Amino acid sequence: MSISMSKLISIDEIDACIFDFDGVLTDNAVYIDENGRESVQCSRADGLAFDVLRKIKKSTYILSTEKNAVVNSRAKKLKVPVIQGVSDKVLALSNLVKDESYEWSKLLYVGNDLNDYLAMQLCGFSACPKDSHEKIKQIATFVLNTKGGQGVIRELTEEVLGLNFIKILYAK
């Protein structure tokens, strides 16, 4: 494995995980049918990762500049709160930190593009998919081997955070 990282982290060092939607949970493509309805591609592997995070009671959020029904649908299926239609991700994160009494140093932000840049810099930890913008890769704590929409959250939880899915989800 060749995850680029400046240090290893434990899940205990994280209060909450914030995930961008497009380009992280999706492959950054949008499909539009003849009626103008949008759809995207997501990885089912990420669903299991969110199950693990929920089981260990780790707060998770989807933060998106888009306001779209596909974001709501995926977030509902994952059972993850969504903050969308956000033009200023730093302001949205600041409100979340204030409302939930989080510490910036204990936030993990996963983003892929320039609109995530300032938010990623404020958080104690950050990660990005392999196919992220170069400037995002330069500031990320972890540059993953997985491309957006192909199991980014799964790789992050298993390989970077070292969570044992079998033990957490299936051991009696």
Side-chain angles (χ1 to χ4, degrees):
M1 177 176 46
S2 61
I3 293 176
S4 170
M5 62 188 87
S6 57
K7 64 180 186 171
L8 297 173
I9 58 172
S10 162
I11 192 69
D12 297 330
E13 296 177 75
I14 298 169
D15 285 342
C17 303
I18 299 96
F19 304 100
D20 178 37
F21 188 74
D22 291 318
V24 173
L25 293 173
T26 77
D27 64 359
N28 221 13
V30 62
Y31 308 96
I32 303 171
D33 72 12
E34 65 275 3
N35 298 312
R37 286 186 303 245
E38 293 185 11
S39 62
V40 296
Q41 177 179 308
C42 299
S43 172
R44 289 196 185 274
D46 284 339
L48 202 56
F50 280 105
D51 289 346
V52 166
L53 291 168
R54 189 171 37 265
K55 180 85 182 237
I56 64 171
K57 299 182 181 357
K58 197 55 63 180
S59 296
T60 59
Y61 301 89
I62 293 173
L63 179 61
S64 179
T65 54
E66 288 285 323
K67 183 155 181 61
N68 196 310
V70 296
V71 180
N72 279 336
S73 295
R74 187 64 180 148
K76 183 177 179 182
K77 180 149 182 132
L78 295 171
K79 300 176 185 155
V80 175
V82 63
I83 304 164
Q84 64 175 321
V86 172
S87 60
D88 184 341
K89 289 188 175 187
V90 169
L91 178 60
L93 272 181
S94 295
N95 290 335
L96 184 64
V97 165
K98 185 177 114 193
D99 294 346
E100 299 298 328
S101 300
Y102 292 135
E103 292 180 40
W104 285 101
S105 63
K106 293 186 172 188
L107 294 181
L108 169 63
Y109 188 100
V110 184
N112 73 304
D113 212 340
L114 297 177
N115 63 342
D116 300 305
Y117 189 89
L118 296 175
M120 287 175 73
Q121 286 189 313
L122 290 173
C123 296
F125 305 100
S126 60
C128 69
K130 178 181 184 174
D131 56 345
S132 297
H133 190 283
E134 285 304 315
K135 289 186 187 302
I136 296 301
K137 289 186 203 180
Q138 290 170 5
I139 65 165
T141 312
F142 305 96
V143 177
L144 304 170
N145 293 316
T146 307
K147 291 182 179 180
Q150 295 182 1
V152 167
I153 315 313
R154 180 70 170 265
E155 179 185 354
L156 179 74
T157 51
E158 281 189 306
E159 303 300 330
V160 174
L161 299 175
L163 299 177
N164 182 330
F165 283 34
I166 294 171
K167 182 179 177 184
I168 293 168
L169 292 176
Y170 307 113
K172 300 276 180 197

